[in-house]
């Protein structure tokens, strides 16, 4: 009996550790699976975000990340192109419903809707009462179901966003 208990305990430890160290930062970046790195390009600006095997984001300029008990990112401080801000996340059904940040003294909120594949169908930006909605179209996906190319129209300009995703094996 004692031997059976020890075997069950040994099997339970990896699952308990996994539950305690699983983060959902990959999902916060519109991807799923064992993502190691996302490199993306938008309007001539390149950005790379790395992730640990447990799914925790390692991004230059990111600090003071706060997670809930389930590993969902609640807030983090970011420095982007010399500008400091705190970003707060609201989650629904394992996806980011919205994220809010103070930019140059003004509160900005980005709300997301999703398509049937779990990729954003549109984003609505509310900056001080001024709203703008951008729909995403012409998605291309990699073999693991993550988007690698999409198009949108912002203020009359057609924009293509591309990204390369590297996975842990």
């Amino acid at each position: 009996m004692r031997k059976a208990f020890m075997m069950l305990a040994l099997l339970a430890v990896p699952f308990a550790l996994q539950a305690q160290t699983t983060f959902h930062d990959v999902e916060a970046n519109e991807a799923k699976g064992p993502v190691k790195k996302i490199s993306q390009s938008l309007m001539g600006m390149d950005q790379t975000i790395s992730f640990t095997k447990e799914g925790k984001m390692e991004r230059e300029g990111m600090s003071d990340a706060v997670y809930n008990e389930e590993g969902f990112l609640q807030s983090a401080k970011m420095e982007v192109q010399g500008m400091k801000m705190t970003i707060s996340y609201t989650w629904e059904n394992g996806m980011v419903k919205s994220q809010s940040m103070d930019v140059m003294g003004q509160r900005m909120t980005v709300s997301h809707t999703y398509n049937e594949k779990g990729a954003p169908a549109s984003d609505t930006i509310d900056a001080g009462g001024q709203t703008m909605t951008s729909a995403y179209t012409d998605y291309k996906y990699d073999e693991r179901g993550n988007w690698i190319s999409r198009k949108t129209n912002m203020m009359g300009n057609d924009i293509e966003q591309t990204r390369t995703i590297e996975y842990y094996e």
Side-chain angles (χ1 to χ4, degrees):
M1 181 69 151
R2 184 174 177 176
K3 187 175 181 181
F5 178 78
M6 290 302 288
M7 291 292 285
L8 285 173
L10 286 173
L11 288 172
V13 169
F15 292 106
L17 291 174
Q18 181 180 10
Q20 293 172 3
T21 60
T22 300
F23 299 94
H24 298 281
D25 295 0
V26 172
E27 289 90 346
N29 287 276
E30 303 168 6
K32 57 186 175 256
V35 174
K36 185 176 188 177
K37 186 185 300 184
I38 298 174
S39 299
Q40 52 193 1
S41 178
L42 175 65
M43 298 172 36
M45 293 174 38
D46 297 325
Q47 177 184 37
T48 299
I49 303 168
S50 298
F51 302 90
T52 65
K53 284 186 176 185
E54 295 79 23
K56 191 170 187 178
M57 189 174 7
E58 295 177 325
R59 180 179 181 170
E60 186 177 331
M62 181 179 160
S63 64
D64 301 331
V66 175
Y67 294 88
N68 68 11
E69 311 78 50
E70 291 88 31
F72 289 98
L73 183 61
Q74 301 299 294
S75 66
K77 291 183 180 176
M78 298 273 190
E79 185 171 340
V80 180
Q81 297 181 339
M83 188 171 32
K84 295 179 182 182
M85 65 186 90
T86 299
I87 300 177
S88 302
Y89 297 85
T90 303
W91 294 80
E92 187 176 277
N93 299 322
M95 297 179 180
V96 175
K97 180 179 178 179
S98 66
Q99 53 196 84
S100 300
M101 62 209 87
D102 290 315
V103 179
M104 296 185 292
Q106 190 171 25
R107 186 80 168 161
M108 183 170 78
T109 301
V110 180
S111 301
H112 311 283
T113 62
Y114 294 89
N115 66 21
E116 67 282 349
K117 290 192 174 202
S122 67
D123 289 339
T124 300
I125 300 170
D126 181 344
Q130 300 291 319
T131 61
M132 178 179 71
T133 299
S134 297
Y136 296 105
T137 62
D138 299 328
Y139 272 97
K140 291 185 177 98
Y141 297 88
D142 68 9
E143 66 280 349
R144 298 193 186 199
N146 286 315
W147 71 265
I148 54 173
S149 174
R150 66 183 181 186
K151 294 180 181 174
T152 190
N153 186 295
M154 272 189 180
M155 298 185 280
N157 296 311
D158 290 329
I159 299 169
E160 181 177 15
Q161 183 177 9
T162 60
R163 66 185 192 173
T164 303
I165 302 175
E166 185 179 327
Y167 296 91
Y168 286 102
E169 295 305 319

